Amino acid sequence: MGGGEAAMRIEVDNGSGFCFGVVRAIRMAEEAVPIVSLGDIVHNAAEVARLEGLGMETAPEGTDLRDLAGRRALVRAHGEPPATYEEAEEHGVELVDATCPVVAALQKTVAEAWEAMRRVGGQVVIFGRAGHAEVRGLTGHAEGAIVIEGEADLERVDFGKPIYLLAQTTASLGEFRRLGAEMRRRTEEAGGEVEIHDTVCRQVADREERLAEFARRHDVCLFVAGAKSSNGRVLFEAVKGANPRSHKIEGPDDVRGEWLDGADSVGVCGATSTPRWLMEQVAEKICC
Ligand code: SF4
């Protein structure tokens, strides 16, 4: 692909790839093999396969820890609810805790907010994806927290009572701000009060802007991310918004030659869960 008179310029984005929380979790897994990861260590099948080659196994989310009795298991960067730690103890599973320190701090904040809201009859509201591993970990610290995915879910919130609003670390900062403003408006109308705590991780939030700028610099942009990455979904929206000739792919085999027709420059970038080596394989595929 990409032959022709003038060479096509290909750039792999230096700022794309694993955030520090994921790098740390992968290093901990590599150092602790043989180990069973409780769910995908990253939402990227290619990187999971590489680690499995080193001796890591992956147990599906929700695996009964009784089935891992006597083994070593990894808590991913997303974290786990307190019940997982109790069950591991009960069934003799040795946990290697790779919860990202940013997520661990957020779990603590959620637990404190829950306690404070319980005292005043208020509500903890978490903006995030219901059922996402990090969100399940957070609600494990605040069993009655209300998870909202967008404005439509606000009808489940009582604006006449105190509210403490937080976000999943990988949520979109723009959407969080819009929701926060809307909640403030409704709270004022209803005479309640809302405390807004912006807990979006800047390892992700800063990337939206930067990736949009990267995408604008190129005729075509190829965004590499696993199908299950929620961070990948958010970031791809920013990329696509900046450059309509952007395509989301999982790896080099998904690249279609016609996407590159007439392009002088192609940018290859990815999510926080995308390994650098995979983006390089995509670049190789289009240049050769
Ligand atoms: S995105 Fe932020 S909070 Fe999430 S794992 Fe990475 S560094 Fe940690």
Side-chain angles (χ1 to χ4, degrees), residues 123-176:
Q123 308 143 95
V124 170
V125 178
I126 300 171
F127 172 50
R129 206 147 57 82
H132 184 281
E134 181 189 318
V135 173
R136 280 192 286 104
L138 296 178
T139 52
H141 289 83
E143 299 275 328
I146 301 167
V147 178
I148 56 168
E149 298 193 351
E151 205 173 318
D153 292 328
L154 289 182
E155 60 196 39
R156 290 193 281 118
V157 179
D158 183 345
F159 288 93
K161 290 182 177 167
I163 300 165
Y164 195 105
L165 172 69
L166 317 104
Q168 179 179 343
T169 59
T170 46
S172 152
L173 183 57
E175 275 178 55
F176 179 73

Side-chain angles (χ1 to χ4, degrees), residues 18-23 77-78 98-104 134 169-170 199-204 231 272:
F18 296 151
C19 61
F20 99 94
V22 171
V23 169
H78 292 318
T99 306
C100 172
V102 178
V103 174
E134 181 189 318
T169 59
T170 46
T199 53
V200 175
C201 175
R202 293 316 193 252
Q203 289 258 333
V204 182
N231 155 253
T272 59

Side-chain angles (χ1 to χ4, degrees), residues 232-277:
R233 247 190 307 273
V234 171
L235 293 179
F236 181 61
E237 269 173 43
V239 167
K240 185 90 183 164
N243 181 345
R245 286 187 73 184
S246 297
H247 303 275
K248 185 162 177 274
I249 56 174
E250 288 203 64
D253 294 344
D254 296 341
V255 177
R256 300 235 298 269
E258 66 266 27
W259 291 343
L260 312 177
D261 283 349
D264 290 328
S265 76
V266 179
V268 180
C269 54
T272 59
S273 52
T274 307
R276 173 92 195 169
W277 58 263

Side-chain angles (χ1 to χ4, degrees), residues 58-70:
T58 303
E61 276 184 28
T63 292
D64 190 329
L65 290 189
R66 261 180 295 224
D67 298 339
L68 301 178

